[in-house]
Amino acid sequence: MEATVTKASNPQVQILPDLEAISHQAASFFVAISRNSIATKGRFAVALSGGSTPRRLYTLLGSDPYRDKVEWRHVHFFWADERCVPKEDDESNFRLAYEAFLSKITVPASNIHRVKGEEDPEKGAKDYEDDLRKFFGMSGLPAFDLMILGMGEDGHTASLFPGSKSLEETIRLAFPVYMKRPKRDRVTLTLQVLNNSAQILFLVSGPSKAKIVHDVLGNEGKTERYPAGLINPSNGNIVWLIDREAARNLKRSFHDPSIKHSTD
Ligand code: 6PG
């Protein structure tokens, strides 16, 4: 399945049979967007997420046929968020991507811009922001070519949780997040950075997401209550890849022209 990079209506929603189909579609997008960015700018800057949903996508990217379709030496990897744990920890978003595909491709170490989860959240956010400034320039906002996001059952995305102060942040690029229950501090890119991306790809799978998918995408005025619903890039596209189980409450929107169903 070849994906093309076009200006889509925002948001563009694709409902696919299952996580496997989402992951292949996302891998095709990744290849297409990387080629387009490398052809026009000489590099591709992507931000990865953690969680369980993107694991299969990452595994696909590190295997045939996708692995050989990307010019990895021109790809720069960042993270939408990170948990404040050492990079060897099971909870580390860096570790997830490293084990699934970064360890299986040839990419200069200097292209991997991980968040230092081993630091406390404030220092981790500060160091990450310095790295972002060095790469994207000292003024203006970073402009990612591709931002890969997931959505929690509470509508969080990256580590932007409902009601969090980070949602109002207009100066910092990366923000510390202190979580009590469960105790798992984090560092997240801020909303303004996510919304400055050229392409945003949401991956959502499974029946536990059906309610929040409906609340965020169901056109019933609830969208902006949730951080994921605040993702609306000013100069970019958003594509939601959702599996049937997660999309089952969206049935009433079947005739919306921006929602495509696939029976692959
Ligand atoms: C993380 C994330 C987070 C994730 C959602 C969805 O580090 O946990 O980046 O925002 O994308 O919680 O997670 P699942 O894919 O596990 O549903």
Side-chain angles (χ1 to χ4, degrees):
M1 206 181 324
E2 282 290 320
T4 46
V5 185
T6 50
K7 180 81 191 155
S9 57
N10 266 343
Q12 189 198 75
V13 178
Q14 292 186 25
I15 299 172
L16 296 151
D18 51 23
L19 179 61
E20 188 65 11
I22 289 180
S23 305
H24 279 277
Q25 183 70 333
S28 296
F29 268 118
F30 188 105
V31 168
I33 296 165
S34 73
R35 287 183 172 174
N36 193 51
S37 301
I38 293 167
T40 54
K41 297 191 231 174
R43 57 108 172 123
F44 170 54
V46 58
L48 306 174
S49 279
S52 54
T53 315
R55 182 182 294 273
R56 178 66 181 143
L57 161 65
Y58 298 161
T59 303
L60 289 175
L61 289 174
S63 352
D64 293 341
Y66 300 103
R67 185 176 44 195
D68 295 342
K69 293 186 175 175
V70 177
E71 282 189 273
W72 295 110
R73 67 185 193 284
H74 297 306
V75 181
H76 286 260
F77 296 95
F78 293 81
W79 274 260
D81 69 332
E82 181 57 280
R83 294 101 182 262
C84 291
V85 292
K87 67 182 187 332
E88 300 76 20
D89 194 285
D90 282 348
E91 292 286 319
S92 162
N93 289 347
F94 166 79
R95 178 177 169 173
L96 168 69
Y98 185 78
E99 289 190 345
F101 80 115
L102 299 180
S103 56
K104 302 185 165 65
I105 57 173
T106 304
V107 61
S110 55
N111 289 21
I112 298 185
H113 307 260
R114 77 177 179 88
V115 184
K116 290 184 207 136
E118 62 275 26
E119 303 286 359
D120 68 73
E122 185 58 51
K123 173 139 180 24
K126 171 81 183 59
D127 288 357
Y128 192 39
E129 181 157 324
D130 289 347
D131 196 3
L132 289 162
R133 289 274 181 227
K134 261 188 230 140
F135 184 81
F136 287 101
M138 298 311 281
S139 62
L141 290 172
F144 282 98
D145 301 305
L146 175 64
M147 175 73 54
I148 298 174
L149 294 175
M151 176 169 70
E153 288 165 36
D154 58 357
H156 80 262
T157 190
S159 287
L160 298 171
F161 289 87
S164 147
K165 274 199 299 190
S166 52
L167 292 169
E168 281 144 44
E169 179 60 40
T170 55
I171 296 171
R172 298 180 69 170
L173 307 180
F175 206 78
V177 180
Y178 297 91
M179 299 198 45
K180 293 207 181 77
R181 278 190 302 272
K183 171 94 178 87
R184 195 193 278 152
D185 294 339
R186 297 168 178 234
V187 171
T188 188
L189 290 177
T190 50
L191 190 57
Q192 56 172 358
V193 175
L194 302 186
N195 276 335
N196 200 46
S197 306
Q199 297 278 340
I200 293 180
L201 196 53
F202 267 101
L203 308 181
V204 188
S205 163
S208 68
K209 301 287 172 68
K211 180 178 182 307
I212 191 65
V213 164
H214 177 258
D215 281 359
V216 170
L217 292 172
N219 290 328
E220 289 181 11
K222 296 185 185 167
T223 307
E224 294 189 356
R225 287 187 203 167
Y226 302 103
L230 297 173
I231 303 299
N232 185 17
S234 31
N235 292 308
N237 293 327
I238 311 188
V239 177
W240 287 77
L241 301 181
I242 307 177
D243 71 8
R244 276 197 202 122
E245 289 186 322
R248 67 182 178 204
N249 296 349
L250 278 185
K251 287 204 172 75
R252 270 173 293 152
S253 309
F254 267 20
H255 300 296
D256 182 330
S258 65
I259 298 186
K260 277 202 221 152
H261 286 259
S262 164
T263 48
D264 295 351

